[in-house]
Amino acid sequence: MKSAFTLLLVIGAAGASQLGCSDDAATPDEGQGGSSSSSSTVASGGSTTAGSGGGSSSSTSASSASASSASASSTAASTTSSGTGGTGGEEPLGNEIPMEIPTPTNGDGEIRTETTVLKNAANGGQDVYDFNNQKIGVNNTADCDDGEGQKTVFEVEDGVTVKNLIIAGGLPGGNGIVCKGDCTLDHVYWEDVCEDAATNSVDGATMRINSSIALHSADKIFQHNAKGGSTTIVTNSYIADFGKLWRSCGDCTANGGPRNLVIDNVRVDRVKTTVAGANQNYGDTVTITNLYVKGGYDEEDDKPKICQEYRAVTDHMGESEKLHGGASQWNTDTCRVSKSDIKSW
């Protein structure tokens, strides 16, 4: 069956920047997005030697070690589907899904003092940054569960691919990665998500997450603030212990849409709220194929929720509201997912 992922790759030329969401009156269900830190370090290409300790250290450039993404797959193992619950156990399609975060090549990791900007080649940087499985965080002081204001670890310019990177867990994970245009995050691993793992922030842009792992989030894993037909694509990845895998911003400044999500060949475990939360009133779409749920989907109890529809608001004019009593929606204009595409492992 032809994957819906390939049908939507054409969506996503970079557009004007999306204004950040405010979280002053938000609850975890509102799907607010953070803004990146005002202070940043520019990565202009080339390789650096990572600090071997976990203490505070600053860096003025990103690593570009030459190890290929194949090195990540050598340390990431696939598990065998159990076939319990849902529509039966089947092996994921295509590339193996990584199930273990690689051992960092820089020991306890490096904690940088400022956000690192990964500049593209047109701006004096490079279009591919390969970190050779280094673990990097930022000296974030804002509590992970206390609204917004967390420092962003990496700000990624338009057209940049980030490979083989481990984002340090907990407080040093801050606001994770913010994509400022089209970006690809390939074999990127989040040990313990703080605010968000990654944010799609520019109207019309496409954020691709492939062969990645994101663990432990009280709320969202991937935040989608960008409008204008922007797209988030998640493939061949493992996401576990989270509130929502993806949320279209429920109360952004000048909020709107449409925003699109594509999920294909992804394993999830311990879903606390829903896999996807989309804004029906802004024309969002969620396309899911080959989603593997640990233990299967319980149709009788609607657990875990797969795709929920919301009525979003703008500029803090009220609160984002779950539609249909919060029940999973199937084969609608917004939730383009069939129960047959939800499988067990």
Side-chain angles (χ1 to χ4, degrees), residues 54-80:
S56 175
S57 63
S58 63
S59 174
T60 57
S61 63
S63 297
S64 59
S66 60
S68 69
S69 59
S71 64
S73 62
S74 67
T75 55
S78 288
T79 62
T80 302

Side-chain angles (χ1 to χ4, degrees), residues 269-284:
D269 185 12
R270 288 163 285 163
V271 183
K272 300 171 188 174
T273 304
T274 189
V275 172
N279 300 325
Q280 182 198 72
N281 57 322
Y282 291 147
D284 294 350

